[in-house]
Every structure is written in C-alpha cells, then in structure tokens.
C-alpha cells in the first residue's frame, strides 16, 4: 500500500525529528536542516547545466548533494555525534578542486558582483545559501554540540561555489563585474 504524502500531523506548526521528538517548525534544528535541503535543491538546478559537463564537476556536484543528504539526516537527529558519510577527505576534495580552478583565474581586483552568466549566478545563489546554512548550524551549535567537520565542510563548500562562479565566467570569457561604490 502506498503511503500518503500528507499526514496532517504538522498542521499545528510542529514536525517530527528523526528520533520521533516533536518540535516547532521554526526550531533551530529544523531551520538548519531545512536550509541544507534548500541548498541541495538549488544545487540540483545547478547540476543540470550543460556547461558543467566537462571535467569532474558533475561527479563532484553529485557527491556534494549526497553529502548534504547525510548532513540533513544528521541535523534532523538529536544527539548525533558524527555526520555519517562525511570525512576529512571530502573537505580535501573541495580544497583540491578550488585550488585547481583557482590556478586558471586572475587575481581578485575587488569584490565581484554576483552573476555574469546564468551558471555563475546559480553558483552565487548556492554560495549564499551555503553561508546561510552555515549560520543556522552555528546557531544550533550554541544549544547542541555539532560535529566540527560539518562546519568545516560548509565553510569550504561556500568557497567552492565562489571559485566555481569565477571559473565559469573566466572560462567562458564572461566579464567579471566588480563592485563600484560610486554607482
């Protein structure tokens, strides 16, 4: 028998965590894993851009999405000690790809405005949602101990999206528009 999508148990403004505890839908934990879910949705949109079909970027994006599901499951569970399936090697992979792309970029000459191309704009959206997710996890960390590797991964992930945005603009010869405080 197929289960119903709607249960009506959240009609009172609460939701269940993975362990069964009921909490308000605006609970810090729900905000944290909800923002991770939002980020993953935008990464899904980013992943279906044909300009990503080169190099190992599609595989990296797919791994990021899976890591974010692991992170969401961890955040939805009270008293989790470690994020299952998240390793220092995942941070290392992001750093390696950032360094690889960065070698092809000119030095930063100022603050780059988000956008340039559609793909770069999507990267900028993913970067800013990653930063919000990081803030939500940090807020949760005040009341519940969070795996420090999770914070490190999110911090590096936002750097990855920033560099990927620049990398796409430069590789497609799309001009980077710098912030002009006089405009």
């Amino acid at each position: 028998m197929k289960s119903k999508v709607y249960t009506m148990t959240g009609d009172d403004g609460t939701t269940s965590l993975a362990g069964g505890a009921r909490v308000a839908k605006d609970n810090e934990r729900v905000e944290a894993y909800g923002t991770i879910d939002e980020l993953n949705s935008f990464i899904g949109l980013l992943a279906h851009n044909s300009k990503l079909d080169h190099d190992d970027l599609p595989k990296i994006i797919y791994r990021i999405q899976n890591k974010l599901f692991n992170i969401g499951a961890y955040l939805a569970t009270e008293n989790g000690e470690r994020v299952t399936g998240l390793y220092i090697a995942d941070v290392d992979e992001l750093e390696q790809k950032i360094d690889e792309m960065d070698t092809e970029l000119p030095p930063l000459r100022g603050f780059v405005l988000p956008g340039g191309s559609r793909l770069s704009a999507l990267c900028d959206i993913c970067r800013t949602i990653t930063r919000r997710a990081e803030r939500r996890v940090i807020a949760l960390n005040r009341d519940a101990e969070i795996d420090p590797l999770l914070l490190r991964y999110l911090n590096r992930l936002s750097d990855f999206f920033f560099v990927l945005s620049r990398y796409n603009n430069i590789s497609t010869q799309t001009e980077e528009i710098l912030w002009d405080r006089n405009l």
Side-chain angles (χ1 to χ4, degrees):
M1 178 174 182
K2 187 175 177 183
S3 63
K4 287 187 176 183
V5 172
Y6 56 91
T7 62
M8 295 184 246
T9 58
D11 290 352
D12 64 353
T14 64
T15 190
S16 291
L17 296 178
R22 303 278 314 161
V23 297
K25 289 185 177 183
D26 65 351
N27 175 281
E28 285 180 337
R29 184 172 295 281
V30 177
E31 284 287 338
Y33 72 73
T35 306
I36 294 294
D37 188 37
E38 179 184 355
L39 170 61
N40 213 343
S41 296
F42 273 97
I43 293 172
L45 182 60
L46 172 69
H48 291 284
N49 192 306
S50 62
K51 292 183 180 178
L52 279 179
D53 289 344
H54 64 283
D55 299 328
D56 53 353
L57 284 170
K59 290 178 186 174
I60 291 173
I61 296 293
Y62 178 70
R63 275 196 297 278
I64 289 168
Q65 287 192 288
N66 278 280
K67 298 300 173 184
L68 290 175
F69 259 88
N70 292 346
I71 289 168
Y74 166 81
L75 291 171
T77 305
E78 291 181 306
N79 304 320
E81 293 179 20
R82 284 197 76 255
V83 179
T84 303
L86 184 65
Y87 308 100
I88 192 67
D90 299 313
V91 174
D92 294 342
E93 178 184 43
L94 290 176
E95 290 174 352
Q96 180 181 1
K97 191 61 184 176
I98 289 167
D99 292 344
E100 180 184 311
M101 290 186 294
D102 194 52
T103 61
E104 299 184 35
L105 300 178
L108 280 171
R109 299 173 291 127
F111 288 103
V112 180
L113 294 180
S117 68
R118 179 176 172 75
L119 178 74
S120 292
L122 286 169
C123 289
D124 290 324
I125 290 168
C126 291
R127 173 185 53 81
T128 59
I129 296 172
T130 303
R131 287 290 189 209
R132 181 160 34 92
E134 185 180 23
R135 291 190 303 271
R136 295 292 158 259
V137 171
I138 289 168
L140 177 60
N141 194 39
R142 289 189 192 109
D143 297 324
E145 191 173 332
I146 298 297
D147 183 348
L149 184 58
L150 167 53
L151 292 170
R152 189 171 174 188
Y153 184 79
L154 290 177
N155 192 31
R156 212 62 79 248
L157 187 57
S158 65
D159 296 335
F160 169 80
F161 287 123
F162 174 74
V163 172
L164 182 56
S165 175
R166 289 195 71 218
Y167 177 79
N168 177 68
N169 279 337
I170 297 304
S171 66
T172 60
Q173 299 177 339
T174 303
E175 181 184 4
E176 287 187 303
I177 307 296
L178 300 180
W179 172 43
D180 182 345
R181 70 177 72 233
N182 298 313
L183 290 181

PDB file of all heavy atoms in Angstrom, residues 109-146:
ATOM      1  N   ARG A 109      40.578  41.621  -8.036  1.00  0.00           N
ATOM      2  CA  ARG A 109      40.914  43.049  -8.040  1.00  0.00           C
ATOM      3  C   ARG A 109      39.904  43.853  -7.239  1.00  0.00           C
ATOM      4  O   ARG A 109      39.971  45.063  -7.192  1.00  0.00           O
ATOM      5  CB  ARG A 109      40.963  43.570  -9.477  1.00  0.00           C
ATOM      6  CG  ARG A 109      42.011  42.872 -10.333  1.00  0.00           C
ATOM      7  CD  ARG A 109      41.910  43.305 -11.795  1.00  0.00           C
ATOM      8  NE  ARG A 109      40.667  42.782 -12.375  1.00  0.00           N
ATOM      9  CZ  ARG A 109      39.757  43.527 -13.018  1.00  0.00           C
ATOM     10  NH1 ARG A 109      39.942  44.804 -13.201  1.00  0.00           N
ATOM     11  NH2 ARG A 109      38.659  42.964 -13.496  1.00  0.00           N
ATOM     12  N   GLY A 110      38.950  43.177  -6.663  1.00  0.00           N
ATOM     13  CA  GLY A 110      37.904  43.831  -5.890  1.00  0.00           C
ATOM     14  C   GLY A 110      36.792  42.842  -5.634  1.00  0.00           C
ATOM     15  O   GLY A 110      36.913  41.649  -5.929  1.00  0.00           O
ATOM     16  N   PHE A 111      35.688  43.345  -5.101  1.00  0.00           N
ATOM     17  CA  PHE A 111      34.528  42.487  -4.863  1.00  0.00           C
ATOM     18  C   PHE A 111      33.806  42.252  -6.179  1.00  0.00           C
ATOM     19  O   PHE A 111      33.499  43.203  -6.904  1.00  0.00           O
ATOM     20  CB  PHE A 111      33.582  43.121  -3.850  1.00  0.00           C
ATOM     21  CG  PHE A 111      34.112  43.111  -2.450  1.00  0.00           C
ATOM     22  CD1 PHE A 111      34.629  44.259  -1.884  1.00  0.00           C
ATOM     23  CD2 PHE A 111      34.093  41.940  -1.696  1.00  0.00           C
ATOM     24  CE1 PHE A 111      35.120  44.250  -0.598  1.00  0.00           C
ATOM     25  CE2 PHE A 111      34.581  41.925  -0.408  1.00  0.00           C
ATOM     26  CZ  PHE A 111      35.096  43.085   0.145  1.00  0.00           C
ATOM     27  N   VAL A 112      33.551  40.977  -6.489  1.00  0.00           N
ATOM     28  CA  VAL A 112      32.874  40.607  -7.728  1.00  0.00           C
ATOM     29  C   VAL A 112      31.372  40.578  -7.467  1.00  0.00           C
ATOM     30  O   VAL A 112      30.907  39.935  -6.524  1.00  0.00           O
ATOM     31  CB  VAL A 112      33.351  39.222  -8.219  1.00  0.00           C
ATOM     32  CG1 VAL A 112      32.645  38.832  -9.515  1.00  0.00           C
ATOM     33  CG2 VAL A 112      34.865  39.198  -8.395  1.00  0.00           C
ATOM     34  N   LEU A 113      30.616  41.287  -8.316  1.00  0.00           N
ATOM     35  CA  LEU A 113      29.160  41.246  -8.186  1.00  0.00           C
ATOM     36  C   LEU A 113      28.655  39.869  -8.602  1.00  0.00           C
ATOM     37  O   LEU A 113      29.185  39.269  -9.547  1.00  0.00           O
ATOM     38  CB  LEU A 113      28.519  42.314  -9.071  1.00  0.00           C
ATOM     39  CG  LEU A 113      28.793  43.767  -8.695  1.00  0.00           C
ATOM     40  CD1 LEU A 113      28.084  44.706  -9.672  1.00  0.00           C
ATOM     41  CD2 LEU A 113      28.367  44.067  -7.265  1.00  0.00           C
ATOM     42  N   PRO A 114      27.649  39.335  -7.921  1.00  0.00           N
ATOM     43  CA  PRO A 114      27.098  38.045  -8.302  1.00  0.00           C
ATOM     44  C   PRO A 114      26.576  38.068  -9.735  1.00  0.00           C
ATOM     45  O   PRO A 114      26.048  39.077 -10.189  1.00  0.00           O
ATOM     46  CB  PRO A 114      25.946  37.844  -7.313  1.00  0.00           C
ATOM     47  CG  PRO A 114      26.308  38.690  -6.136  1.00  0.00           C
ATOM     48  CD  PRO A 114      27.017  39.885  -6.724  1.00  0.00           C
ATOM     49  N   GLY A 115      26.750  36.966 -10.425  1.00  0.00           N
ATOM     50  CA  GLY A 115      26.216  36.844 -11.773  1.00  0.00           C
ATOM     51  C   GLY A 115      27.291  36.732 -12.826  1.00  0.00           C
ATOM     52  O   GLY A 115      28.305  36.094 -12.634  1.00  0.00           O
ATOM     53  N   GLY A 116      27.049  37.372 -13.936  1.00  0.00           N
ATOM     54  CA  GLY A 116      27.912  37.270 -15.100  1.00  0.00           C
ATOM     55  C   GLY A 116      27.223  36.404 -16.126  1.00  0.00           C
ATOM     56  O   GLY A 116      26.767  36.868 -17.153  1.00  0.00           O
ATOM     57  N   SER A 117      27.108  35.129 -15.828  1.00  0.00           N
ATOM     58  CA  SER A 117      26.374  34.187 -16.671  1.00  0.00           C
ATOM     59  C   SER A 117      25.328  33.495 -15.799  1.00  0.00           C
ATOM     60  O   SER A 117      25.364  33.587 -14.573  1.00  0.00           O
ATOM     61  CB  SER A 117      27.330  33.149 -17.253  1.00  0.00           C
ATOM     62  OG  SER A 117      27.822  32.313 -16.221  1.00  0.00           O
ATOM     63  N   ARG A 118      24.432  32.773 -16.448  1.00  0.00           N
ATOM     64  CA  ARG A 118      23.397  32.041 -15.691  1.00  0.00           C
ATOM     65  C   ARG A 118      24.033  31.030 -14.747  1.00  0.00           C
ATOM     66  O   ARG A 118      23.648  30.922 -13.585  1.00  0.00           O
ATOM     67  CB  ARG A 118      22.436  31.358 -16.662  1.00  0.00           C
ATOM     68  CG  ARG A 118      21.346  30.563 -15.962  1.00  0.00           C
ATOM     69  CD  ARG A 118      20.354  29.986 -16.967  1.00  0.00           C
ATOM     70  NE  ARG A 118      19.415  29.083 -16.354  1.00  0.00           N
ATOM     71  CZ  ARG A 118      18.379  29.426 -15.601  1.00  0.00           C
ATOM     72  NH1 ARG A 118      18.151  30.697 -15.364  1.00  0.00           N
ATOM     73  NH2 ARG A 118      17.576  28.518 -15.086  1.00  0.00           N
ATOM     74  N   LEU A 119      25.013  30.272 -15.236  1.00  0.00           N
ATOM     75  CA  LEU A 119      25.668  29.271 -14.405  1.00  0.00           C
ATOM     76  C   LEU A 119      26.360  29.923 -13.209  1.00  0.00           C
ATOM     77  O   LEU A 119      26.237  29.452 -12.075  1.00  0.00           O
ATOM     78  CB  LEU A 119      26.680  28.460 -15.214  1.00  0.00           C
ATOM     79  CG  LEU A 119      27.451  27.415 -14.414  1.00  0.00           C
ATOM     80  CD1 LEU A 119      26.554  26.226 -14.105  1.00  0.00           C
ATOM     81  CD2 LEU A 119      28.676  26.966 -15.155  1.00  0.00           C
ATOM     82  N   SER A 120      27.053  31.016 -13.451  1.00  0.00           N
ATOM     83  CA  SER A 120      27.738  31.696 -12.358  1.00  0.00           C
ATOM     84  C   SER A 120      26.746  32.270 -11.353  1.00  0.00           C
ATOM     85  O   SER A 120      26.983  32.231 -10.144  1.00  0.00           O
ATOM     86  CB  SER A 120      28.658  32.798 -12.901  1.00  0.00           C
ATOM     87  OG  SER A 120      29.728  32.208 -13.606  1.00  0.00           O
ATOM     88  N   ALA A 121      25.618  32.777 -11.846  1.00  0.00           N
ATOM     89  CA  ALA A 121      24.586  33.282 -10.938  1.00  0.00           C
ATOM     90  C   ALA A 121      24.039  32.155 -10.063  1.00  0.00           C
ATOM     91  O   ALA A 121      23.808  32.343  -8.865  1.00  0.00           O
ATOM     92  CB  ALA A 121      23.461  33.951 -11.733  1.00  0.00           C
ATOM     93  N   LEU A 122      23.849  30.963 -10.642  1.00  0.00           N
ATOM     94  CA  LEU A 122      23.395  29.813  -9.852  1.00  0.00           C
ATOM     95  C   LEU A 122      24.442  29.436  -8.799  1.00  0.00           C
ATOM     96  O   LEU A 122      24.096  29.083  -7.668  1.00  0.00           O
ATOM     97  CB  LEU A 122      23.097  28.619 -10.757  1.00  0.00           C
ATOM     98  CG  LEU A 122      21.812  28.712 -11.569  1.00  0.00           C
ATOM     99  CD1 LEU A 122      21.753  27.609 -12.615  1.00  0.00           C
ATOM    100  CD2 LEU A 122      20.600  28.634 -10.644  1.00  0.00           C
ATOM    101  N   CYS A 123      25.713  29.503  -9.171  1.00  0.00           N
ATOM    102  CA  CYS A 123      26.786  29.242  -8.192  1.00  0.00           C
ATOM    103  C   CYS A 123      26.724  30.252  -7.057  1.00  0.00           C
ATOM    104  O   CYS A 123      26.918  29.906  -5.886  1.00  0.00           O
ATOM    105  CB  CYS A 123      28.157  29.307  -8.867  1.00  0.00           C
ATOM    106  SG  CYS A 123      28.505  27.947  -9.979  1.00  0.00           S
ATOM    107  N   ASP A 124      26.459  31.516  -7.396  1.00  0.00           N
ATOM    108  CA  ASP A 124      26.368  32.557  -6.365  1.00  0.00           C
ATOM    109  C   ASP A 124      25.186  32.317  -5.437  1.00  0.00           C
ATOM    110  O   ASP A 124      25.278  32.531  -4.226  1.00  0.00           O
ATOM    111  CB  ASP A 124      26.275  33.941  -7.008  1.00  0.00           C
ATOM    112  CG  ASP A 124      27.580  34.365  -7.671  1.00  0.00           C
ATOM    113  OD1 ASP A 124      28.655  34.030  -7.131  1.00  0.00           O
ATOM    114  OD2 ASP A 124      27.521  35.022  -8.725  1.00  0.00           O
ATOM    115  N   ILE A 125      24.067  31.858  -5.986  1.00  0.00           N
ATOM    116  CA  ILE A 125      22.914  31.509  -5.144  1.00  0.00           C
ATOM    117  C   ILE A 125      23.287  30.356  -4.210  1.00  0.00           C
ATOM    118  O   ILE A 125      23.011  30.409  -3.008  1.00  0.00           O
ATOM    119  CB  ILE A 125      21.686  31.169  -6.007  1.00  0.00           C
ATOM    120  CG1 ILE A 125      21.165  32.433  -6.691  1.00  0.00           C
ATOM    121  CG2 ILE A 125      20.592  30.509  -5.172  1.00  0.00           C
ATOM    122  CD1 ILE A 125      20.136  32.173  -7.778  1.00  0.00           C
ATOM    123  N   CYS A 126      23.934  29.334  -4.748  1.00  0.00           N
ATOM    124  CA  CYS A 126      24.360  28.202  -3.917  1.00  0.00           C
ATOM    125  C   CYS A 126      25.335  28.658  -2.837  1.00  0.00           C
ATOM    126  O   CYS A 126      25.264  28.195  -1.693  1.00  0.00           O
ATOM    127  CB  CYS A 126      24.977  27.104  -4.783  1.00  0.00           C
ATOM    128  SG  CYS A 126      23.777  26.260  -5.842  1.00  0.00           S
ATOM    129  N   ARG A 127      26.231  29.561  -3.176  1.00  0.00           N
ATOM    130  CA  ARG A 127      27.197  30.087  -2.189  1.00  0.00           C
ATOM    131  C   ARG A 127      26.473  30.794  -1.052  1.00  0.00           C
ATOM    132  O   ARG A 127      26.754  30.549   0.118  1.00  0.00           O
ATOM    133  CB  ARG A 127      28.172  31.047  -2.876  1.00  0.00           C
ATOM    134  CG  ARG A 127      29.113  31.769  -1.917  1.00  0.00           C
ATOM    135  CD  ARG A 127      29.986  32.798  -2.631  1.00  0.00           C
ATOM    136  NE  ARG A 127      29.245  33.758  -3.429  1.00  0.00           N
ATOM    137  CZ  ARG A 127      28.637  34.840  -2.944  1.00  0.00           C
ATOM    138  NH1 ARG A 127      28.671  35.105  -1.651  1.00  0.00           N
ATOM    139  NH2 ARG A 127      27.982  35.660  -3.743  1.00  0.00           N
ATOM    140  N   THR A 128      25.513  31.654  -1.387  1.00  0.00           N
ATOM    141  CA  THR A 128      24.855  32.416  -0.327  1.00  0.00           C
ATOM    142  C   THR A 128      23.947  31.533   0.529  1.00  0.00           C
ATOM    143  O   THR A 128      23.838  31.744   1.734  1.00  0.00           O
ATOM    144  CB  THR A 128      24.081  33.615  -0.901  1.00  0.00           C
ATOM    145  OG1 THR A 128      23.099  33.156  -1.827  1.00  0.00           O
ATOM    146  CG2 THR A 128      25.020  34.604  -1.582  1.00  0.00           C
ATOM    147  N   ILE A 129      23.328  30.529  -0.077  1.00  0.00           N
ATOM    148  CA  ILE A 129      22.511  29.603   0.726  1.00  0.00           C
ATOM    149  C   ILE A 129      23.418  28.756   1.615  1.00  0.00           C
ATOM    150  O   ILE A 129      23.073  28.456   2.762  1.00  0.00           O
ATOM    151  CB  ILE A 129      21.609  28.735  -0.165  1.00  0.00           C
ATOM    152  CG1 ILE A 129      20.601  29.615  -0.913  1.00  0.00           C
ATOM    153  CG2 ILE A 129      20.870  27.692   0.672  1.00  0.00           C
ATOM    154  CD1 ILE A 129      19.787  28.875  -1.962  1.00  0.00           C
ATOM    155  N   THR A 130      24.587  28.386   1.100  1.00  0.00           N
ATOM    156  CA  THR A 130      25.547  27.653   1.934  1.00  0.00           C
ATOM    157  C   THR A 130      25.934  28.493   3.139  1.00  0.00           C
ATOM    158  O   THR A 130      26.013  27.974   4.263  1.00  0.00           O
ATOM    159  CB  THR A 130      26.809  27.278   1.123  1.00  0.00           C
ATOM    160  OG1 THR A 130      26.427  26.514  -0.022  1.00  0.00           O
ATOM    161  CG2 THR A 130      27.774  26.461   1.969  1.00  0.00           C
ATOM    162  N   ARG A 131      26.184  29.771   2.938  1.00  0.00           N
ATOM    163  CA  ARG A 131      26.532  30.663   4.055  1.00  0.00           C
ATOM    164  C   ARG A 131      25.387  30.755   5.060  1.00  0.00           C
ATOM    165  O   ARG A 131      25.613  30.762   6.270  1.00  0.00           O
ATOM    166  CB  ARG A 131      26.900  32.057   3.547  1.00  0.00           C
ATOM    167  CG  ARG A 131      28.237  32.126   2.864  1.00  0.00           C
ATOM    168  CD  ARG A 131      29.356  31.952   3.847  1.00  0.00           C
ATOM    169  NE  ARG A 131      30.636  32.234   3.221  1.00  0.00           N
ATOM    170  CZ  ARG A 131      31.772  31.692   3.579  1.00  0.00           C
ATOM    171  NH1 ARG A 131      31.811  30.832   4.573  1.00  0.00           N
ATOM    172  NH2 ARG A 131      32.883  32.002   2.966  1.00  0.00           N
ATOM    173  N   ARG A 132      24.147  30.809   4.568  1.00  0.00           N
ATOM    174  CA  ARG A 132      23.008  30.843   5.491  1.00  0.00           C
ATOM    175  C   ARG A 132      22.907  29.532   6.256  1.00  0.00           C
ATOM    176  O   ARG A 132      22.655  29.521   7.472  1.00  0.00           O
ATOM    177  CB  ARG A 132      21.704  31.141   4.747  1.00  0.00           C
ATOM    178  CG  ARG A 132      20.512  31.195   5.698  1.00  0.00           C
ATOM    179  CD  ARG A 132      19.302  31.925   5.143  1.00  0.00           C
ATOM    180  NE  ARG A 132      19.094  31.790   3.724  1.00  0.00           N
ATOM    181  CZ  ARG A 132      18.340  30.852   3.157  1.00  0.00           C
ATOM    182  NH1 ARG A 132      17.725  29.947   3.897  1.00  0.00           N
ATOM    183  NH2 ARG A 132      18.186  30.810   1.843  1.00  0.00           N
ATOM    184  N   ALA A 133      23.105  28.420   5.566  1.00  0.00           N
ATOM    185  CA  ALA A 133      23.089  27.112   6.235  1.00  0.00           C
ATOM    186  C   ALA A 133      24.157  27.073   7.321  1.00  0.00           C
ATOM    187  O   ALA A 133      23.913  26.585   8.434  1.00  0.00           O
ATOM    188  CB  ALA A 133      23.303  25.995   5.222  1.00  0.00           C
ATOM    189  N   GLU A 134      25.319  27.602   7.000  1.00  0.00           N
ATOM    190  CA  GLU A 134      26.405  27.649   7.978  1.00  0.00           C
ATOM    191  C   GLU A 134      25.990  28.470   9.208  1.00  0.00           C
ATOM    192  O   GLU A 134      26.218  28.054  10.350  1.00  0.00           O
ATOM    193  CB  GLU A 134      27.636  28.254   7.303  1.00  0.00           C
ATOM    194  CG  GLU A 134      28.877  28.272   8.154  1.00  0.00           C
ATOM    195  CD  GLU A 134      30.065  28.882   7.413  1.00  0.00           C
ATOM    196  OE1 GLU A 134      29.884  29.668   6.450  1.00  0.00           O
ATOM    197  OE2 GLU A 134      31.188  28.582   7.837  1.00  0.00           O
ATOM    198  N   ARG A 135      25.337  29.601   8.978  1.00  0.00           N
ATOM    199  CA  ARG A 135      24.873  30.426  10.111  1.00  0.00           C
ATOM    200  C   ARG A 135      23.837  29.680  10.944  1.00  0.00           C
ATOM    201  O   ARG A 135      23.835  29.763  12.176  1.00  0.00           O
ATOM    202  CB  ARG A 135      24.301  31.756   9.604  1.00  0.00           C
ATOM    203  CG  ARG A 135      25.337  32.689   9.022  1.00  0.00           C
ATOM    204  CD  ARG A 135      24.783  34.082   8.747  1.00  0.00           C
ATOM    205  NE  ARG A 135      23.639  34.118   7.864  1.00  0.00           N
ATOM    206  CZ  ARG A 135      23.703  34.221   6.533  1.00  0.00           C
ATOM    207  NH1 ARG A 135      24.867  34.278   5.925  1.00  0.00           N
ATOM    208  NH2 ARG A 135      22.588  34.273   5.816  1.00  0.00           N
ATOM    209  N   ARG A 136      22.938  28.944  10.274  1.00  0.00           N
ATOM    210  CA  ARG A 136      21.912  28.185  11.000  1.00  0.00           C
ATOM    211  C   ARG A 136      22.543  27.072  11.843  1.00  0.00           C
ATOM    212  O   ARG A 136      22.116  26.812  12.960  1.00  0.00           O
ATOM    213  CB  ARG A 136      20.889  27.579  10.029  1.00  0.00           C
ATOM    214  CG  ARG A 136      20.058  28.582   9.278  1.00  0.00           C
ATOM    215  CD  ARG A 136      19.104  29.316  10.229  1.00  0.00           C
ATOM    216  NE  ARG A 136      18.699  30.577   9.669  1.00  0.00           N
ATOM    217  CZ  ARG A 136      19.217  31.767  10.013  1.00  0.00           C
ATOM    218  NH1 ARG A 136      20.151  31.860  10.901  1.00  0.00           N
ATOM    219  NH2 ARG A 136      18.765  32.868   9.476  1.00  0.00           N
ATOM    220  N   VAL A 137      23.551  26.413  11.298  1.00  0.00           N
ATOM    221  CA  VAL A 137      24.236  25.348  12.033  1.00  0.00           C
ATOM    222  C   VAL A 137      25.012  25.942  13.206  1.00  0.00           C
ATOM    223  O   VAL A 137      25.023  25.371  14.302  1.00  0.00           O
ATOM    224  CB  VAL A 137      25.143  24.520  11.090  1.00  0.00           C
ATOM    225  CG1 VAL A 137      26.016  23.552  11.873  1.00  0.00           C
ATOM    226  CG2 VAL A 137      24.299  23.764  10.069  1.00  0.00           C
ATOM    227  N   ILE A 138      25.629  27.080  13.013  1.00  0.00           N
ATOM    228  CA  ILE A 138      26.349  27.744  14.104  1.00  0.00           C
ATOM    229  C   ILE A 138      25.375  28.132  15.213  1.00  0.00           C
ATOM    230  O   ILE A 138      25.672  27.951  16.404  1.00  0.00           O
ATOM    231  CB  ILE A 138      27.135  28.956  13.582  1.00  0.00           C
ATOM    232  CG1 ILE A 138      28.332  28.481  12.744  1.00  0.00           C
ATOM    233  CG2 ILE A 138      27.599  29.852  14.732  1.00  0.00           C
ATOM    234  CD1 ILE A 138      29.023  29.576  11.949  1.00  0.00           C
ATOM    235  N   ALA A 139      24.201  28.637  14.849  1.00  0.00           N
ATOM    236  CA  ALA A 139      23.194  28.980  15.861  1.00  0.00           C
ATOM    237  C   ALA A 139      22.769  27.727  16.626  1.00  0.00           C
ATOM    238  O   ALA A 139      22.647  27.754  17.860  1.00  0.00           O
ATOM    239  CB  ALA A 139      21.985  29.644  15.198  1.00  0.00           C
ATOM    240  N   LEU A 140      22.564  26.622  15.920  1.00  0.00           N
ATOM    241  CA  LEU A 140      22.207  25.360  16.568  1.00  0.00           C
ATOM    242  C   LEU A 140      23.327  24.884  17.478  1.00  0.00           C
ATOM    243  O   LEU A 140      23.073  24.315  18.546  1.00  0.00           O
ATOM    244  CB  LEU A 140      21.891  24.303  15.501  1.00  0.00           C
ATOM    245  CG  LEU A 140      21.560  22.900  15.992  1.00  0.00           C
ATOM    246  CD1 LEU A 140      20.323  22.912  16.900  1.00  0.00           C
ATOM    247  CD2 LEU A 140      21.345  21.968  14.800  1.00  0.00           C
ATOM    248  N   ASN A 141      24.558  25.127  17.085  1.00  0.00           N
ATOM    249  CA  ASN A 141      25.728  24.692  17.848  1.00  0.00           C
ATOM    250  C   ASN A 141      25.797  25.344  19.233  1.00  0.00           C
ATOM    251  O   ASN A 141      26.470  24.848  20.121  1.00  0.00           O
ATOM    252  CB  ASN A 141      27.009  24.988  17.059  1.00  0.00           C
ATOM    253  CG  ASN A 141      28.222  24.286  17.612  1.00  0.00           C
ATOM    254  OD1 ASN A 141      28.151  23.148  18.041  1.00  0.00           O
ATOM    255  ND2 ASN A 141      29.339  24.972  17.597  1.00  0.00           N
ATOM    256  N   ARG A 142      25.084  26.437  19.431  1.00  0.00           N
ATOM    257  CA  ARG A 142      25.053  27.075  20.758  1.00  0.00           C
ATOM    258  C   ARG A 142      24.307  26.210  21.775  1.00  0.00           C
ATOM    259  O   ARG A 142      24.606  26.265  22.965  1.00  0.00           O
ATOM    260  CB  ARG A 142      24.400  28.451  20.662  1.00  0.00           C
ATOM    261  CG  ARG A 142      25.247  29.463  19.953  1.00  0.00           C
ATOM    262  CD  ARG A 142      24.653  30.868  20.069  1.00  0.00           C
ATOM    263  NE  ARG A 142      25.327  31.738  19.148  1.00  0.00           N
ATOM    264  CZ  ARG A 142      24.787  32.233  18.035  1.00  0.00           C
ATOM    265  NH1 ARG A 142      23.529  31.966  17.744  1.00  0.00           N
ATOM    266  NH2 ARG A 142      25.479  32.998  17.232  1.00  0.00           N
ATOM    267  N   ASP A 143      23.321  25.437  21.283  1.00  0.00           N
ATOM    268  CA  ASP A 143      22.499  24.617  22.173  1.00  0.00           C
ATOM    269  C   ASP A 143      22.776  23.120  22.061  1.00  0.00           C
ATOM    270  O   ASP A 143      22.443  22.361  22.961  1.00  0.00           O
ATOM    271  CB  ASP A 143      21.010  24.855  21.877  1.00  0.00           C
ATOM    272  CG  ASP A 143      20.597  26.286  22.139  1.00  0.00           C
ATOM    273  OD1 ASP A 143      21.114  26.891  23.093  1.00  0.00           O
ATOM    274  OD2 ASP A 143      19.765  26.810  21.375  1.00  0.00           O
ATOM    275  N   ALA A 144      23.334  22.695  20.939  1.00  0.00           N
ATOM    276  CA  ALA A 144      23.592  21.274  20.708  1.00  0.00           C
ATOM    277  C   ALA A 144      24.967  21.153  20.074  1.00  0.00           C
ATOM    278  O   ALA A 144      25.289  21.890  19.152  1.00  0.00           O
ATOM    279  CB  ALA A 144      22.528  20.695  19.772  1.00  0.00           C
ATOM    280  N   GLU A 145      25.752  20.236  20.567  1.00  0.00           N
ATOM    281  CA  GLU A 145      27.099  20.070  20.020  1.00  0.00           C
ATOM    282  C   GLU A 145      27.022  19.521  18.595  1.00  0.00           C
ATOM    283  O   GLU A 145      26.387  18.503  18.338  1.00  0.00           O
ATOM    284  CB  GLU A 145      27.914  19.117  20.905  1.00  0.00           C
ATOM    285  CG  GLU A 145      29.370  19.107  20.542  1.00  0.00           C
ATOM    286  CD  GLU A 145      30.204  18.309  21.525  1.00  0.00           C
ATOM    287  OE1 GLU A 145      29.807  18.228  22.709  1.00  0.00           O
ATOM    288  OE2 GLU A 145      31.236  17.773  21.099  1.00  0.00           O
ATOM    289  N   ILE A 146      27.671  20.226  17.690  1.00  0.00           N
ATOM    290  CA  ILE A 146      27.664  19.870  16.276  1.00  0.00           C
ATOM    291  C   ILE A 146      29.048  19.366  15.878  1.00  0.00           C
ATOM    292  O   ILE A 146      30.062  19.916  16.300  1.00  0.00           O
ATOM    293  CB  ILE A 146      27.273  21.099  15.409  1.00  0.00           C
ATOM    294  CG1 ILE A 146      25.863  21.574  15.756  1.00  0.00           C
ATOM    295  CG2 ILE A 146      27.401  20.802  13.918  1.00  0.00           C
ATOM    296  CD1 ILE A 146      24.763  20.576  15.478  1.00  0.00           C
TER     297      ILE A 146
END
